[in-house]
Amino acid sequence: MAVKGNAADNRTRSSVSIFIIISMCCFFYILGAWQKSGFGKGDSIAIEITKQTDCTILPNLSFETHHSRSDIGDDIGAEVRTFEPCHERYRDYTPCQDQNRAMLFPRENMNYRERHCPPEEEKLYCLIPAPEGYVAPFPWPKSRDFVPYANVPYKSLTVEKAVQNWVQYEGNVFRFPGGGTQFPQGADTYIDQLASVIPIANGTVRTALDTGCGVASWGAYLLKRNVLAMSFAPRDSHEAQVQFALERGVPAIIGVLGTIKLPYPSRSFDMAHCSRCLIPWGANDGMYMMEVDRVLRPGGYWVLSGPPINWKNNYKAWQRTEEDLEEEQKKIEEIAELLCWEKVSEKSEIAIWRKRINTDSCAVRQDEPRVRTCESSYADDVWYKKMEACIVPFPEVDNPEEVAGGEQKTFPDRLNDMPPRIASGSAPGFSAESYQEDNRLWKKHVKAYKRLNKYLDTGRYRNIMDMNAGLGSFAAAIESPKLWVMNVVPTIADKATLGVIYERGLIGIYHDWCEAFSTYPRTYDLIHANAVFSLYNKNRCKMEDILLEMDRILRPEGAVIFRDQVDILMKVKRMVIGMRWNTKMVDHEDGPLLQEKVLVAVKQYWAGGHTNETAEV
């Protein structure tokens, strides 16, 4: 009888529980509908209820930096595939710029230094280890000047560039004095020289491209002037140039001007720069200068310092003949004239050209037989597309004073101002209203993220990546001098939005997430993945390919924010547990009834060897 009585009690309690759950579901459904209807104060009520639920509390997830191994939590009961560490020789593995594979490709036009990704059978399905003793980078701006030796244990640059003030080894840290081959007195002094000609101080110049960047000191010192530089250098005989740049907290990728177009849309950068970058600008009928012209906005500036500028006074120091240098400068001048660049300054070893604002201001190009115009699709169709010696035409204008493609406001006003591509209707699928709504939505999302992770706006995360950036509204909402965002627009995205992102004064790149990103391991502190797996959910590549690449580029104790449909996030959650990530699923900020959820994760600290060190200055 006692058994029967207990069963009846259980049935009663079960019925009551079901009734309560159904009642709550109905309540939240009605509340959600009321909130979306625009009547009453549904939005504020929903926010208050959200604050009182588990949506904003992550008791089992620590975002702190502590450099200790911890147990994997959130076991969801399903079988988990465990990924083992790779051999320590892969600690700086860059799959698509692998040195051994590079040697199989032609040297002509730097083809061997371009992206050459491994075939399926050669992919690594293991976790890239951090070097023994790896520590968290110093916070910005200290990181600009100091990098822990344990994180990038290579001293060759301290010897090869010793007299040029690039980098010095001091105890258990590297120190970066801010020097460069062409600015041994420091990047600040060099930038002051540029600023006497180029409007850097007033926000006119916001985005810059540094070709052959070295350790990116030029970009590092531009940041305090509110200029965001996209720096790149090949993975070459100088060890870890780009790796040093990212350890310093400076935007950079592995890249080269070779045979394929740069992964940026047309009219992206306000300024482009080459400081003794060793690029043969006059070769291939001026193809590399034409590629710079493609990505340079109308009215933008090109800076060339070092050979062959002022060759008459420097040819002996450069160990080149007068005839060779004179011919090189002559070719550069001729190509600049074809491109309709106006030379605005040449002092000492620095020459500065300015791109004209439209075709009407470029009379010299009219009926010029040497000018070959690119096909209409050439300007923005760039992923693995061959670079050609052709000139991208200006967008049409109605009068000689109009800036082709639309005039941009100075930064920071342009961050949320209507981008010219959207205002003119040249960004299909977007209107002024949808742009403003996107901004509003991501401000709300970022506000919710900051409730989830109190460290988000403290400087704890310096290098941030948005894997599916859309219009760049996540980066705009989180904009701060404490951080920068690499906005990635997947090549399979329905809409090409990267041009809009640059018009907002942000930086980014095209990429296919079925392949490895052009960076070293451990170079991002936080990754934002909005609907990435919904986008790649049609068997284009395996989920583990993307997740293992995220693990490769994420620092130990770095964080990830996934936003996607709940069924997809459950698969992600199961897989990343086997990658030594701690996770926590939370509801959408608008309530638990929405299928879109947020999965937050932290990569556990682990490294090769057994010794952990703390760098000190």
Side-chain angles (χ1 to χ4, degrees), residues 140 143-144 147 176 215-217 220-221 244-250:
W140 183 267
S143 65
R144 186 194 69 182
V147 166
F176 295 83
V215 295
S217 287
Y221 280 81
F244 273 128
L246 286 154
E247 283 292 320
R248 299 175 71 185
V250 181

Side-chain angles (χ1 to χ4, degrees), residues 175-207:
R175 185 170 73 87
F176 295 83
T181 306
Q182 283 304 129
F183 38 94
Q185 295 180 340
D188 261 338
T189 300
Y190 177 78
I191 293 170
D192 285 339
Q193 292 176 289
L194 302 184
S196 67
V197 179
I198 301 171
I200 291 175
N202 66 1
T204 298
V205 171
R206 163 63 177 176
T207 57

